[in-house]
Amino acid sequence: MQDFLAGTGYTILYYCILAAAALLARFLIRIPDEIFRKTLHGILLGSLLVYVFGFTVWYHAALSCLCFAAVVFPILFFFERFKSYSHMVTERRRGELKSSLLLVFSMFAAVISVCWGWLGDRLLVLASVYAWGIGDAAAALIGKRFGRHKIPGTKKSFEGSLSMFLSSFLAVFLILYIRGGISLGGMVITALATGAVSAAVEVYTPGGMDTVSCPLAAMTVLLPLSAVFGG
């Protein structure tokens, strides 16, 4: 219980400091909406480090994710009644933030349970999630600014998807390199395959569900390949 309370306390402190800093910057500096969205996205991704390293027991971390979602959801539901709220958090549609957070924390709990709980490997949690998180941020920023060539049948661009693939590849490769236990060639092949699958799934996942589909797809590719190459 002490581990659960301490880890959850670290998480709450992390969010209070980072969210307050982001909102203060939003008021003081004219930050473009998409940049602010990705700032919030980055804060959310950064919290995974707290869940992975701020707890000593995996199920405490997974339970804390679910508890946090259960507490934050009604709070955000309350704030939605204020007209300025949606603009402040740059929602594209009403209720986007609370539904996204529910999906993200549920996904965190699932990936933690498989990678850390089942396989005992915390760094694979980071690799699975950051294959999506870092790549998705790059795809949004590059795609919106430079995305001139649309992928047929979608609203996504080749430029955005390529940036997601490259960012996912680099994120996974760096985490695998830090983790060790795999040959350099194995790291490259695993990172390339994970990045390619993450980018492809992101293109064809509708309605913001890539929050779940991409990390799970990345994990499905990453885990067996890392095992094949000896990690």
Side-chain angles (χ1 to χ4, degrees):
M1 180 59 73
Q2 184 176 359
D3 175 61
F4 174 79
L5 294 176
T8 302
Y10 297 146
T11 306
I12 293 172
L13 182 62
Y14 168 88
Y15 277 119
C16 286
I17 293 174
L18 273 294
L23 291 174
L24 181 61
R26 174 79 164 164
F27 283 115
L28 298 179
I29 306 170
R30 191 164 187 173
I31 302 175
D33 285 353
E34 193 60 34
I35 298 295
F36 186 72
R37 282 177 64 87
K38 294 310 168 187
T39 299
L40 297 179
H41 180 93
I43 292 172
L44 192 59
L45 288 178
S47 71
L48 186 62
L49 293 170
V50 183
Y51 285 116
V52 169
F53 298 111
F55 294 81
T56 58
V57 181
W58 72 267
Y59 53 82
H60 287 167
L63 179 60
S64 182
C65 289
L66 298 177
C67 289
F68 199 87
V71 170
V72 170
F73 190 90
I75 293 175
L76 295 182
F77 183 80
F78 169 78
F79 279 110
E80 284 179 354
R81 68 180 64 189
F82 301 104
K83 294 181 179 179
S84 60
Y85 165 82
S86 186
H87 173 73
M88 181 178 66
V89 298
T90 64
E91 286 190 319
R92 290 173 178 160
R93 63 182 186 279
R94 183 176 174 81
E96 179 188 21
L97 182 58
K98 72 174 188 293
S99 60
S100 295
L101 288 178
L102 186 61
L103 290 174
V104 168
F105 286 118
S106 299
M107 178 269 291
F108 279 2
V111 176
I112 287 171
S113 298
V114 174
C115 295
W116 184 7
W118 179 34
L119 300 176
D121 197 323
R122 303 185 196 210
L123 289 182
L124 288 182
V125 176
L126 300 181
S128 299
V129 175
Y130 287 170
W132 157 73
I134 294 175
D136 182 66
L141 294 174
I142 299 298
K144 286 185 178 298
R145 186 175 180 85
F146 302 106
R148 296 182 176 84
H149 302 89
K150 297 296 182 182
I151 298 173
T154 76
K155 296 181 180 179
K156 308 294 176 66
S157 68
F158 284 105
E159 292 85 353
S161 292
L162 179 60
S163 67
M164 177 164 185
F165 165 67
L166 293 174
S167 299
S168 296
F169 163 74
L170 288 174
V172 173
F173 178 80
L174 288 174
I175 293 170
L176 290 179
Y177 184 81
I178 293 170
R179 174 180 177 269
I182 305 177
S183 67
L184 185 61
M187 293 179 194
V188 171
I189 293 171
T190 302
L192 283 172
T194 305
V197 168
S198 298
V201 170
E202 192 274 339
V203 168
Y204 294 104
T205 300
M209 289 300 294
D210 59 320
T211 301
V212 175
S213 64
C214 286
L216 296 184
M219 185 172 64
T220 301
V221 174
L222 177 64
L223 299 190
L225 283 180
S226 62
V228 166
F229 289 112

